[in-house]
Amino acid sequence: MTPYDSTFQSAYFIKSAEKLSQCPLDQGVEVAFAGRSNAGKSTALNTLTNQKKLARTSKTPGRTQLINCFGLNLDDRRLIDLPGYGFAKVPIEMKKVWQAHMQDYLMNRRSLAGVVLVMDIRHPLKEFDEMMLDWAKANGMKVHVLLTKSDKLKRGPAKSTMLSIQRELKQQNIDGSVQTFSALNGDGVDDLRIKLAEWLVLDNQDEIPVSPNA
Ligand SMILES: Nc1nc2c(ncn2[C@@H]2O[C@H](COP(=O)(O)OP(=O)(O)OP(=O)(O)O)[C@@H](O)[C@H]2O)c(=O)[nH]1
Ligand SMILES: [Mg+2]
């Protein structure tokens, strides 16, 4: 339990956008979930908000193909489910379009306060993840690494994966945090809520700071 549970539970679907220009008005604060296809982004959002069907999930990679925007019952706080990177079955031209839209969103979205970089704990720090970390560092974007599916590993190996990624971030001088997470057994749900409450300034309901991208 955290003081923010009911706020996250209030999440509702706003819209699906194909590109930045279709996203909700760029004001307030939002947090985006990014990561490779099938890593568990949409599932993490559902667990965070304690809703089974808020974001659509699938066993087949490539389920999320649009920028899905969700609102909270506080003004101008949003959660964003991004399309996964690396879905092999999509034609190359389509991939390029997605990538361009993703990049545009990440570079130009002023209300974006931080990125939750979702990785399957069994397959961390793939090429895309490294790219995102480099980008976050270069652009001063906050990043929180969510190591999902921690239920697939025993406690020891899960912890040591987390520690090695923490070390890696430190080595690369990246200002980021890392945690384990499981939608199956609830590992790390409170930690994620506390982190996002900080980014979304849920405690300071009247005061939304100027985002780093502004
Ligand atoms: N065991 C376990 N399975 C999980 C967990 N999180 C997600 N999954 C499974 O992983 C698969 C992919 O989950 P999604 O949430 O759809 O993944 P995504 O990152 O949104 O995928 P795209 O939309 O394709 O980018 C589904 O079969 C989920 O049930 C978890 O914490 N534990
Ligand atoms: Mg998804």
Side-chain angles (χ1 to χ4, degrees):
M1 283 267 285
T2 73
Y4 315 108
D5 294 8
S6 62
T7 304
F8 285 113
Q9 204 158 349
S10 76
Y12 62 94
F13 176 73
I14 304 177
K15 70 184 297 193
S16 294
E18 201 181 317
K19 49 187 166 185
L20 181 61
S21 60
Q22 297 168 352
C23 286
L25 211 56
D26 196 1
Q27 59 187 26
V29 209
E30 68 191 30
V31 167
F33 284 62
R36 297 171 71 234
S37 209
N38 212 43
K41 298 174 291 298
S42 303
T43 305
L45 259 162
N46 288 342
T47 306
L48 170 74
T49 58
N50 200 19
Q51 297 187 39
K52 284 197 171 67
K53 291 185 184 159
L54 184 69
R56 275 200 239 157
T57 65
S58 162
K59 282 191 172 49
T60 323
R63 172 70 259 178
T64 310
Q65 304 196 356
L66 295 163
I67 301 172
N68 289 307
C69 309
F70 305 96
L72 298 176
N73 66 355
L74 285 176
D75 282 346
D76 294 323
R77 284 7 184 248
R78 290 175 301 274
L79 301 167
I80 310 293
D81 188 15
L82 292 175
Y85 175 85
F87 175 43
K89 285 185 188 150
V90 168
I92 186 85
E93 281 312 310
M94 226 170 123
K95 252 190 193 172
K96 280 190 194 157
V97 173
W98 281 7
Q99 243 166 289
H101 288 156
M102 272 267 285
Q103 218 165 331
D104 188 26
Y105 169 83
L106 290 168
M107 291 303 293
N108 300 313
R109 186 70 170 165
R110 291 163 45 147
S111 50
L112 182 63
V115 172
V116 178
L117 181 52
V118 180
M119 305 177 197
D120 183 323
I121 194 163
R122 297 165 299 174
H123 314 286
L125 289 182
K126 298 284 188 197
E127 197 182 348
F128 168 79
D129 306 317
E130 297 280 8
M131 226 166 68
M132 281 296 297
L133 289 172
D134 287 346
W135 171 82
K137 183 179 168 184
N139 293 281
M141 178 60 68
K142 288 182 195 147
V143 56
H144 183 62
V145 176
L146 197 70
L147 297 170
T148 52
K149 313 191 190 182
S150 71
D151 53 273
K152 298 274 191 189
L153 295 184
K154 292 210 170 87
R155 266 181 112 83
K159 183 96 192 273
S160 71
T161 303
M162 186 181 84
L163 291 174
S164 78
I165 290 170
Q166 255 168 6
R167 263 197 309 274
E168 179 77 24
L169 294 190
K170 210 169 172 189
Q171 235 166 38
Q172 293 188 37
N173 244 330
I174 293 164
D175 176 24
S177 39
V178 189
Q179 68 157 104
T180 60
F181 186 87
S182 166
L184 218 68
N185 64 22
D187 170 37
V189 179
D190 286 359
D191 297 330
L192 180 63
R193 288 188 181 141
I194 288 166
K195 174 51 81 176
L196 296 194
E198 180 195 318
W199 284 0
L200 292 167
V201 269
L202 298 188
D203 276 329
N204 242 338
Q205 307 205 355
D206 302 324
E207 197 181 314
I208 298 178
V210 177
S211 77
N213 267 10

